[in-house]
Amino acid sequence: MTQGPRTGGDAYREHSPVLATEVVEVFKPLTSGVVVDATFGGGGHTRRLLDGLAEGIRIVGIDRDPAAVSNASELMSRETRVTVLNGNFGDIRRLLHGVEVDAPVGFLFDLGVSSHQLDTGERGFSYRHDGPLDMRMGPDASQTADDVVNHWDPQRLEEIIRRFGEERVAGRIAAAIVAARPLRSTAHLAQVVA
């Protein structure tokens, strides 16, 4: 029997980072201080760092996604060396100041979209699982993918598709999106782009 994608915190609990051993090795020389996991996500790196580093290391995790932070409550309830904050790592100085951390000894940034976000259709990142045109890393972002694909002019769409998607047929894709408006789901967008 095949199960559908898990939602909410369940999908975060299953996260297993690919390069966790290598990450622990990089931080292993540290014996005390605060390491910042600036893209906490499912907490896979944080858990491995806790297991592999000296007891004098404390970890502050940051994530934009409230579901990731909510899921971290169980970890924080049993592990006093971890604090997880909801926020954007672009505000790292302010966030760390709020928990009285002035001079971290290390930073970890695992940049990209998490598998949780791709596997959960409701997040609007997936083309495998139909969902709304959202694609926001956190609910604090004011603009959704729906706003972009349904309201931006063709030139602006082409520019972002070419620049961030490195797509050589960006003009054709932008024109197809504009012609198909209104787009209402990730599956519809994927169909138009194909």
Side-chain angles (χ1 to χ4, degrees):
M1 178 179 206
T2 304
Q3 291 183 342
R6 299 210 173 159
T7 60
D10 290 343
Y12 273 117
R13 277 193 255 297
E14 295 175 9
H15 176 67
S16 180
V18 177
L19 297 173
T21 301
E22 292 81 357
V23 167
V24 171
E25 286 304 311
V26 167
F27 289 99
K28 200 133 187 129
L30 302 174
T31 58
S32 65
V34 174
V35 171
V36 178
D37 182 350
T39 51
F40 181 79
H45 283 114
T46 289
R47 285 179 179 86
R48 291 291 297 271
L49 289 169
L50 289 169
D51 291 342
L53 299 183
E55 288 292 320
I57 295 294
R58 194 173 127 225
I59 300 177
V60 174
I62 298 171
D63 207 285
R64 284 186 73 177
D65 189 343
V69 177
S70 175
N71 185 62
S73 63
E74 180 226 327
L75 175 63
M76 289 189 296
S77 71
R78 62 179 163 67
E79 181 53 72
T80 59
R81 296 188 300 151
V82 177
T83 302
V84 181
L85 308 172
N86 185 221
N88 184 327
F89 63 71
D91 298 323
I92 202 164
R93 184 182 305 260
R94 179 185 57 77
L95 291 165
L96 293 178
H97 181 74
V99 291
E100 300 178 357
V101 173
D102 295 321
V105 296
F107 291 89
L108 171 63
F109 290 83
D110 183 9
L111 302 174
V113 178
S114 77
S115 58
H116 163 73
Q117 291 162 328
L118 293 174
D119 292 341
T120 307
E122 303 87 60
R123 293 303 303 268
F125 285 96
S126 179
Y127 297 118
R128 256 187 311 158
H129 309 288
D130 196 19
L133 287 166
D134 192 331
M135 299 186 188
R136 294 176 295 168
M137 297 299 280
D140 59 324
S142 60
Q143 198 165 57
T144 66
D146 184 276
D147 298 325
V148 173
V149 299
N150 286 312
H151 302 288
W152 282 18
D153 65 67
Q155 293 78 21
R156 194 168 175 200
L157 278 174
E158 179 180 351
E159 179 184 323
I160 65 162
I161 293 167
R162 185 176 316 285
R163 182 172 178 199
F164 298 111
E166 299 177 359
E167 185 57 60
R168 58 184 165 70
V169 294
R172 288 188 5 217
I173 293 171
I177 289 171
V178 170
R181 285 177 176 166
L183 289 100
R184 294 292 173 221
S185 72
T186 57
H188 188 195
L189 176 59
Q191 177 187 20
V192 169
V193 171

